[in-house]
Amino acid sequence: MVEAQFYTRSANNKVVCTLCPRYCEIGEGQTGFCFVRKNEGGTLYALAYANPYAVHIDPIEKKPLAHYLPGTRILSIGTAGCNLGCKFCQNWDISKAKYDHGRTYQFTPEQAVAEALQHGCSSLAFTYNDPVIWAEYAIDLAKGAHAFGLKTVAVTAGYITPEALPRFFDHIDAANVDLKGFTENFYRKICLAHLAPVLETLKTLKRRGTTWFELTNLIIPTLNEAREEIRDMCLWILDNLGPEVPLHFTAFHPDFKLMHLPPTAEKVLEAARLLAMDIGLHYVYVGNVHTKEGNNTYCPKCKTLIVRRNWHLVHEINLKNGSCPGCGHKIPLVESDPAQRRNRAAPLYEVLA
Ligand code: SF4
């Protein structure tokens, strides 16, 4: 077992985990809320280290990232457990799993990098569950990836402490941060967490400027779809993160504890997209539904088509020296090497399942 790096010792052989804002105090023989950090004899261990639950090769658009290495493949790794308790979790078989279920694999950072290179990936993703809870493994994966020229992506709820944030994000090149709603009530009742630490994470990522990041908001019928809530969220994004941060509105499908709710209608997503753009956000997308324009990137100034996508496939990229070919407006997009744009031709490859 690998000793955790983010904790302090307290009385009676207890430890306090300092990775996420829960600050779990963990007694001997116990695990924290996320199930993957265990106190053995007064030492905290990172149970998920090199023990993923799922490893797949995905298109990077599936994370979702629209402005980072478009059209490339990404080796995606997730472990068991999670530090949030979302009742709508769409990966609940992973996030609610525990290590004694016996469905994990041995997968070292060296193996991950070798698989990524062998299968033509440009980057590694720490995804499916929240990589904050397996930060030690993610950091070592990132060090291995960077040594071989691969980039790193975290797909996260941004529920991390201010002290752990720089130690984790120093190793992350790009992130998709899930902003799950925009009321404390929603975070507390539906996610068993709090909104304020997530907003602090986003402001810190913006201030640091070292990790490219995009946002996802999963719209759930009746719970976080109110126009006022979406308007307030978009205004906050505009004021605090600026107009250029890409925002993805994605569709909920009934899962886990919310089987009684219907899937999100495309028209709801499209209305949210138009509202966000009216408010002043430049790059707004819809996901998990087929859509005419909501997957594409357009120049915010002259409306020239910059990237044409269908679902997760990239069909064309029209950039001239990083700018719109129509009007010269600079487009915030980290370009990929055309030789690495492989996701349209290859079926997704499942490394471990
Ligand atoms: S990472 Fe896990 S153990 Fe640590 S504070 Fe968060 S939920 Fe608790």
PDB file of all heavy atoms in Angstrom, residues 152-180:
ATOM      1  N   THR A 152      -1.707  15.935 -19.781  1.00  0.00           N
ATOM      2  CA  THR A 152      -2.580  15.341 -18.756  1.00  0.00           C
ATOM      3  C   THR A 152      -3.866  16.151 -18.607  1.00  0.00           C
ATOM      4  O   THR A 152      -3.854  17.373 -18.684  1.00  0.00           O
ATOM      5  CB  THR A 152      -1.873  15.293 -17.395  1.00  0.00           C
ATOM      6  OG1 THR A 152      -1.491  16.619 -17.026  1.00  0.00           O
ATOM      7  CG2 THR A 152      -0.642  14.405 -17.450  1.00  0.00           C
ATOM      8  N   VAL A 153      -4.956  15.433 -18.394  1.00  0.00           N
ATOM      9  CA  VAL A 153      -6.281  16.051 -18.284  1.00  0.00           C
ATOM     10  C   VAL A 153      -6.974  15.511 -17.033  1.00  0.00           C
ATOM     11  O   VAL A 153      -6.997  14.293 -16.810  1.00  0.00           O
ATOM     12  CB  VAL A 153      -7.139  15.709 -19.528  1.00  0.00           C
ATOM     13  CG1 VAL A 153      -8.588  16.122 -19.324  1.00  0.00           C
ATOM     14  CG2 VAL A 153      -6.563  16.363 -20.773  1.00  0.00           C
ATOM     15  N   ALA A 154      -7.534  16.395 -16.222  1.00  0.00           N
ATOM     16  CA  ALA A 154      -8.338  15.972 -15.071  1.00  0.00           C
ATOM     17  C   ALA A 154      -9.804  16.322 -15.329  1.00  0.00           C
ATOM     18  O   ALA A 154     -10.117  17.446 -15.732  1.00  0.00           O
ATOM     19  CB  ALA A 154      -7.864  16.665 -13.797  1.00  0.00           C
ATOM     20  N   VAL A 155     -10.675  15.354 -15.121  1.00  0.00           N
ATOM     21  CA  VAL A 155     -12.117  15.600 -15.186  1.00  0.00           C
ATOM     22  C   VAL A 155     -12.611  15.534 -13.745  1.00  0.00           C
ATOM     23  O   VAL A 155     -12.583  14.468 -13.116  1.00  0.00           O
ATOM     24  CB  VAL A 155     -12.819  14.560 -16.075  1.00  0.00           C
ATOM     25  CG1 VAL A 155     -14.316  14.843 -16.151  1.00  0.00           C
ATOM     26  CG2 VAL A 155     -12.199  14.569 -17.470  1.00  0.00           C
ATOM     27  N   THR A 156     -13.028  16.658 -13.226  1.00  0.00           N
ATOM     28  CA  THR A 156     -13.185  16.771 -11.777  1.00  0.00           C
ATOM     29  C   THR A 156     -14.345  17.675 -11.406  1.00  0.00           C
ATOM     30  O   THR A 156     -14.756  18.535 -12.192  1.00  0.00           O
ATOM     31  CB  THR A 156     -11.872  17.329 -11.171  1.00  0.00           C
ATOM     32  OG1 THR A 156     -12.056  17.583  -9.773  1.00  0.00           O
ATOM     33  CG2 THR A 156     -11.434  18.625 -11.849  1.00  0.00           C
ATOM     34  N   ALA A 157     -14.837  17.479 -10.189  1.00  0.00           N
ATOM     35  CA  ALA A 157     -15.846  18.392  -9.640  1.00  0.00           C
ATOM     36  C   ALA A 157     -15.192  19.614  -8.997  1.00  0.00           C
ATOM     37  O   ALA A 157     -15.893  20.499  -8.498  1.00  0.00           O
ATOM     38  CB  ALA A 157     -16.692  17.663  -8.607  1.00  0.00           C
ATOM     39  N   GLY A 158     -13.865  19.644  -8.949  1.00  0.00           N
ATOM     40  CA  GLY A 158     -13.180  20.796  -8.375  1.00  0.00           C
ATOM     41  C   GLY A 158     -13.335  20.884  -6.867  1.00  0.00           C
ATOM     42  O   GLY A 158     -13.138  21.951  -6.276  1.00  0.00           O
ATOM     43  N   TYR A 159     -13.680  19.750  -6.240  1.00  0.00           N
ATOM     44  CA  TYR A 159     -13.893  19.746  -4.780  1.00  0.00           C
ATOM     45  C   TYR A 159     -12.573  19.361  -4.124  1.00  0.00           C
ATOM     46  O   TYR A 159     -12.327  18.207  -3.770  1.00  0.00           O
ATOM     47  CB  TYR A 159     -15.009  18.757  -4.445  1.00  0.00           C
ATOM     48  CG  TYR A 159     -15.793  19.112  -3.209  1.00  0.00           C
ATOM     49  CD1 TYR A 159     -16.377  20.367  -3.068  1.00  0.00           C
ATOM     50  CD2 TYR A 159     -15.969  18.193  -2.169  1.00  0.00           C
ATOM     51  CE1 TYR A 159     -17.097  20.706  -1.937  1.00  0.00           C
ATOM     52  CE2 TYR A 159     -16.706  18.515  -1.033  1.00  0.00           C
ATOM     53  CZ  TYR A 159     -17.268  19.779  -0.928  1.00  0.00           C
ATOM     54  OH  TYR A 159     -17.984  20.115   0.191  1.00  0.00           O
ATOM     55  N   ILE A 160     -11.723  20.360  -3.940  1.00  0.00           N
ATOM     56  CA  ILE A 160     -10.359  20.145  -3.461  1.00  0.00           C
ATOM     57  C   ILE A 160     -10.014  21.277  -2.507  1.00  0.00           C
ATOM     58  O   ILE A 160     -10.524  22.403  -2.653  1.00  0.00           O
ATOM     59  CB  ILE A 160      -9.389  20.080  -4.673  1.00  0.00           C
ATOM     60  CG1 ILE A 160      -7.974  19.685  -4.244  1.00  0.00           C
ATOM     61  CG2 ILE A 160      -9.379  21.379  -5.469  1.00  0.00           C
ATOM     62  CD1 ILE A 160      -7.066  19.334  -5.433  1.00  0.00           C
ATOM     63  N   THR A 161      -9.158  21.009  -1.546  1.00  0.00           N
ATOM     64  CA  THR A 161      -8.811  22.058  -0.586  1.00  0.00           C
ATOM     65  C   THR A 161      -7.824  23.055  -1.210  1.00  0.00           C
ATOM     66  O   THR A 161      -7.071  22.696  -2.124  1.00  0.00           O
ATOM     67  CB  THR A 161      -8.162  21.456   0.671  1.00  0.00           C
ATOM     68  OG1 THR A 161      -6.981  20.740   0.283  1.00  0.00           O
ATOM     69  CG2 THR A 161      -9.111  20.538   1.413  1.00  0.00           C
ATOM     70  N   PRO A 162      -7.795  24.275  -0.674  1.00  0.00           N
ATOM     71  CA  PRO A 162      -6.843  25.259  -1.219  1.00  0.00           C
ATOM     72  C   PRO A 162      -5.397  24.791  -1.071  1.00  0.00           C
ATOM     73  O   PRO A 162      -4.559  25.109  -1.913  1.00  0.00           O
ATOM     74  CB  PRO A 162      -7.108  26.508  -0.372  1.00  0.00           C
ATOM     75  CG  PRO A 162      -8.475  26.332   0.185  1.00  0.00           C
ATOM     76  CD  PRO A 162      -8.695  24.853   0.338  1.00  0.00           C
ATOM     77  N   GLU A 163      -5.100  24.016  -0.006  1.00  0.00           N
ATOM     78  CA  GLU A 163      -3.715  23.576   0.175  1.00  0.00           C
ATOM     79  C   GLU A 163      -3.327  22.453  -0.780  1.00  0.00           C
ATOM     80  O   GLU A 163      -2.172  22.335  -1.193  1.00  0.00           O
ATOM     81  CB  GLU A 163      -3.448  23.178   1.633  1.00  0.00           C
ATOM     82  CG  GLU A 163      -4.342  22.092   2.218  1.00  0.00           C
ATOM     83  CD  GLU A 163      -5.589  22.603   2.930  1.00  0.00           C
ATOM     84  OE1 GLU A 163      -6.181  23.598   2.457  1.00  0.00           O
ATOM     85  OE2 GLU A 163      -5.982  21.995   3.944  1.00  0.00           O
ATOM     86  N   ALA A 164      -4.296  21.612  -1.146  1.00  0.00           N
ATOM     87  CA  ALA A 164      -3.980  20.512  -2.072  1.00  0.00           C
ATOM     88  C   ALA A 164      -4.022  20.963  -3.531  1.00  0.00           C
ATOM     89  O   ALA A 164      -3.376  20.346  -4.385  1.00  0.00           O
ATOM     90  CB  ALA A 164      -4.970  19.360  -1.865  1.00  0.00           C
ATOM     91  N   LEU A 165      -4.758  22.015  -3.804  1.00  0.00           N
ATOM     92  CA  LEU A 165      -4.981  22.415  -5.211  1.00  0.00           C
ATOM     93  C   LEU A 165      -3.676  22.614  -5.986  1.00  0.00           C
ATOM     94  O   LEU A 165      -3.507  22.004  -7.048  1.00  0.00           O
ATOM     95  CB  LEU A 165      -5.861  23.670  -5.256  1.00  0.00           C
ATOM     96  CG  LEU A 165      -6.339  24.108  -6.642  1.00  0.00           C
ATOM     97  CD1 LEU A 165      -7.673  24.842  -6.568  1.00  0.00           C
ATOM     98  CD2 LEU A 165      -5.332  24.950  -7.390  1.00  0.00           C
ATOM     99  N   PRO A 166      -2.739  23.438  -5.503  1.00  0.00           N
ATOM    100  CA  PRO A 166      -1.542  23.629  -6.334  1.00  0.00           C
ATOM    101  C   PRO A 166      -0.713  22.357  -6.478  1.00  0.00           C
ATOM    102  O   PRO A 166      -0.138  22.123  -7.547  1.00  0.00           O
ATOM    103  CB  PRO A 166      -0.757  24.725  -5.588  1.00  0.00           C
ATOM    104  CG  PRO A 166      -1.347  24.802  -4.232  1.00  0.00           C
ATOM    105  CD  PRO A 166      -2.745  24.300  -4.322  1.00  0.00           C
ATOM    106  N   ARG A 167      -0.673  21.535  -5.457  1.00  0.00           N
ATOM    107  CA  ARG A 167       0.128  20.296  -5.540  1.00  0.00           C
ATOM    108  C   ARG A 167      -0.460  19.335  -6.566  1.00  0.00           C
ATOM    109  O   ARG A 167       0.267  18.559  -7.171  1.00  0.00           O
ATOM    110  CB  ARG A 167       0.213  19.632  -4.157  1.00  0.00           C
ATOM    111  CG  ARG A 167       1.044  20.455  -3.174  1.00  0.00           C
ATOM    112  CD  ARG A 167       0.990  19.884  -1.781  1.00  0.00           C
ATOM    113  NE  ARG A 167       1.543  18.546  -1.680  1.00  0.00           N
ATOM    114  CZ  ARG A 167       1.448  17.775  -0.608  1.00  0.00           C
ATOM    115  NH1 ARG A 167       0.817  18.233   0.471  1.00  0.00           N
ATOM    116  NH2 ARG A 167       1.982  16.572  -0.588  1.00  0.00           N
ATOM    117  N   PHE A 168      -1.770  19.376  -6.751  1.00  0.00           N
ATOM    118  CA  PHE A 168      -2.423  18.532  -7.752  1.00  0.00           C
ATOM    119  C   PHE A 168      -2.355  19.188  -9.140  1.00  0.00           C
ATOM    120  O   PHE A 168      -1.839  18.601 -10.103  1.00  0.00           O
ATOM    121  CB  PHE A 168      -3.879  18.295  -7.337  1.00  0.00           C
ATOM    122  CG  PHE A 168      -4.682  17.456  -8.298  1.00  0.00           C
ATOM    123  CD1 PHE A 168      -4.452  16.096  -8.423  1.00  0.00           C
ATOM    124  CD2 PHE A 168      -5.682  18.031  -9.079  1.00  0.00           C
ATOM    125  CE1 PHE A 168      -5.201  15.312  -9.306  1.00  0.00           C
ATOM    126  CE2 PHE A 168      -6.433  17.262  -9.960  1.00  0.00           C
ATOM    127  CZ  PHE A 168      -6.184  15.899 -10.070  1.00  0.00           C
ATOM    128  N   PHE A 169      -2.811  20.427  -9.219  1.00  0.00           N
ATOM    129  CA  PHE A 169      -2.933  21.051 -10.541  1.00  0.00           C
ATOM    130  C   PHE A 169      -1.593  21.470 -11.145  1.00  0.00           C
ATOM    131  O   PHE A 169      -1.535  21.767 -12.346  1.00  0.00           O
ATOM    132  CB  PHE A 169      -3.924  22.220 -10.489  1.00  0.00           C
ATOM    133  CG  PHE A 169      -5.360  21.773 -10.569  1.00  0.00           C
ATOM    134  CD1 PHE A 169      -6.135  21.681  -9.432  1.00  0.00           C
ATOM    135  CD2 PHE A 169      -5.919  21.404 -11.785  1.00  0.00           C
ATOM    136  CE1 PHE A 169      -7.461  21.257  -9.500  1.00  0.00           C
ATOM    137  CE2 PHE A 169      -7.238  20.979 -11.868  1.00  0.00           C
ATOM    138  CZ  PHE A 169      -8.011  20.902 -10.728  1.00  0.00           C
ATOM    139  N   ASP A 170      -0.509  21.476 -10.359  1.00  0.00           N
ATOM    140  CA  ASP A 170       0.820  21.702 -10.951  1.00  0.00           C
ATOM    141  C   ASP A 170       1.127  20.653 -12.014  1.00  0.00           C
ATOM    142  O   ASP A 170       1.979  20.866 -12.875  1.00  0.00           O
ATOM    143  CB  ASP A 170       1.912  21.631  -9.874  1.00  0.00           C
ATOM    144  CG  ASP A 170       2.074  22.955  -9.137  1.00  0.00           C
ATOM    145  OD1 ASP A 170       1.446  23.947  -9.541  1.00  0.00           O
ATOM    146  OD2 ASP A 170       2.833  22.979  -8.147  1.00  0.00           O
ATOM    147  N   HIS A 171       0.443  19.510 -11.948  1.00  0.00           N
ATOM    148  CA  HIS A 171       0.735  18.391 -12.858  1.00  0.00           C
ATOM    149  C   HIS A 171      -0.340  18.214 -13.938  1.00  0.00           C
ATOM    150  O   HIS A 171      -0.298  17.241 -14.675  1.00  0.00           O
ATOM    151  CB  HIS A 171       0.852  17.097 -12.039  1.00  0.00           C
ATOM    152  CG  HIS A 171       1.905  17.186 -10.976  1.00  0.00           C
ATOM    153  ND1 HIS A 171       3.230  16.926 -11.223  1.00  0.00           N
ATOM    154  CD2 HIS A 171       1.830  17.563  -9.672  1.00  0.00           C
ATOM    155  CE1 HIS A 171       3.925  17.112 -10.116  1.00  0.00           C
ATOM    156  NE2 HIS A 171       3.099  17.498  -9.159  1.00  0.00           N
ATOM    157  N   ILE A 172      -1.311  19.110 -13.960  1.00  0.00           N
ATOM    158  CA  ILE A 172      -2.462  18.942 -14.859  1.00  0.00           C
ATOM    159  C   ILE A 172      -2.427  20.023 -15.945  1.00  0.00           C
ATOM    160  O   ILE A 172      -2.443  21.219 -15.647  1.00  0.00           O
ATOM    161  CB  ILE A 172      -3.783  19.044 -14.056  1.00  0.00           C
ATOM    162  CG1 ILE A 172      -3.808  18.000 -12.915  1.00  0.00           C
ATOM    163  CG2 ILE A 172      -4.983  18.884 -14.987  1.00  0.00           C
ATOM    164  CD1 ILE A 172      -3.749  16.560 -13.364  1.00  0.00           C
ATOM    165  N   ASP A 173      -2.402  19.589 -17.195  1.00  0.00           N
ATOM    166  CA  ASP A 173      -2.340  20.546 -18.306  1.00  0.00           C
ATOM    167  C   ASP A 173      -3.711  21.100 -18.665  1.00  0.00           C
ATOM    168  O   ASP A 173      -3.814  22.249 -19.107  1.00  0.00           O
ATOM    169  CB  ASP A 173      -1.740  19.860 -19.543  1.00  0.00           C
ATOM    170  CG  ASP A 173      -0.334  19.380 -19.285  1.00  0.00           C
ATOM    171  OD1 ASP A 173       0.517  20.218 -18.919  1.00  0.00           O
ATOM    172  OD2 ASP A 173      -0.079  18.165 -19.414  1.00  0.00           O
ATOM    173  N   ALA A 174      -4.737  20.274 -18.544  1.00  0.00           N
ATOM    174  CA  ALA A 174      -6.088  20.721 -18.907  1.00  0.00           C
ATOM    175  C   ALA A 174      -7.097  20.032 -17.997  1.00  0.00           C
ATOM    176  O   ALA A 174      -6.836  18.937 -17.486  1.00  0.00           O
ATOM    177  CB  ALA A 174      -6.400  20.401 -20.372  1.00  0.00           C
ATOM    178  N   ALA A 175      -8.231  20.692 -17.823  1.00  0.00           N
ATOM    179  CA  ALA A 175      -9.256  20.109 -16.938  1.00  0.00           C
ATOM    180  C   ALA A 175     -10.635  20.430 -17.479  1.00  0.00           C
ATOM    181  O   ALA A 175     -10.841  21.452 -18.140  1.00  0.00           O
ATOM    182  CB  ALA A 175      -9.120  20.668 -15.521  1.00  0.00           C
ATOM    183  N   ASN A 176     -11.566  19.532 -17.203  1.00  0.00           N
ATOM    184  CA  ASN A 176     -12.965  19.878 -17.314  1.00  0.00           C
ATOM    185  C   ASN A 176     -13.521  19.836 -15.897  1.00  0.00           C
ATOM    186  O   ASN A 176     -13.449  18.802 -15.228  1.00  0.00           O
ATOM    187  CB  ASN A 176     -13.743  18.926 -18.226  1.00  0.00           C
ATOM    188  CG  ASN A 176     -15.158  19.453 -18.423  1.00  0.00           C
ATOM    189  OD1 ASN A 176     -15.938  19.515 -17.482  1.00  0.00           O
ATOM    190  ND2 ASN A 176     -15.466  19.882 -19.631  1.00  0.00           N
ATOM    191  N   VAL A 177     -14.029  20.974 -15.456  1.00  0.00           N
ATOM    192  CA  VAL A 177     -14.565  21.067 -14.095  1.00  0.00           C
ATOM    193  C   VAL A 177     -16.091  21.059 -14.185  1.00  0.00           C
ATOM    194  O   VAL A 177     -16.694  21.849 -14.914  1.00  0.00           O
ATOM    195  CB  VAL A 177     -14.077  22.342 -13.382  1.00  0.00           C
ATOM    196  CG1 VAL A 177     -14.622  22.377 -11.954  1.00  0.00           C
ATOM    197  CG2 VAL A 177     -12.557  22.393 -13.370  1.00  0.00           C
ATOM    198  N   ASP A 178     -16.674  20.132 -13.437  1.00  0.00           N
ATOM    199  CA  ASP A 178     -18.120  19.957 -13.440  1.00  0.00           C
ATOM    200  C   ASP A 178     -18.743  20.935 -12.445  1.00  0.00           C
ATOM    201  O   ASP A 178     -18.592  20.766 -11.234  1.00  0.00           O
ATOM    202  CB  ASP A 178     -18.392  18.504 -13.005  1.00  0.00           C
ATOM    203  CG  ASP A 178     -19.717  17.988 -13.501  1.00  0.00           C
ATOM    204  OD1 ASP A 178     -20.467  18.772 -14.092  1.00  0.00           O
ATOM    205  OD2 ASP A 178     -19.979  16.792 -13.283  1.00  0.00           O
ATOM    206  N   LEU A 179     -19.400  21.960 -12.957  1.00  0.00           N
ATOM    207  CA  LEU A 179     -20.149  22.893 -12.099  1.00  0.00           C
ATOM    208  C   LEU A 179     -21.581  22.369 -12.093  1.00  0.00           C
ATOM    209  O   LEU A 179     -22.347  22.584 -13.025  1.00  0.00           O
ATOM    210  CB  LEU A 179     -20.046  24.312 -12.664  1.00  0.00           C
ATOM    211  CG  LEU A 179     -20.667  25.435 -11.847  1.00  0.00           C
ATOM    212  CD1 LEU A 179     -20.193  25.446 -10.404  1.00  0.00           C
ATOM    213  CD2 LEU A 179     -20.364  26.785 -12.500  1.00  0.00           C
ATOM    214  N   LYS A 180     -21.919  21.652 -11.022  1.00  0.00           N
ATOM    215  CA  LYS A 180     -23.098  20.779 -11.058  1.00  0.00           C
ATOM    216  C   LYS A 180     -24.425  21.514 -10.923  1.00  0.00           C
ATOM    217  O   LYS A 180     -25.481  20.960 -11.218  1.00  0.00           O
ATOM    218  CB  LYS A 180     -22.962  19.708  -9.975  1.00  0.00           C
ATOM    219  CG  LYS A 180     -21.820  18.757 -10.284  1.00  0.00           C
ATOM    220  CD  LYS A 180     -21.489  17.831  -9.146  1.00  0.00           C
ATOM    221  CE  LYS A 180     -20.276  16.982  -9.457  1.00  0.00           C
ATOM    222  NZ  LYS A 180     -20.574  15.819 -10.316  1.00  0.00           N
TER     223      LYS A 180
END
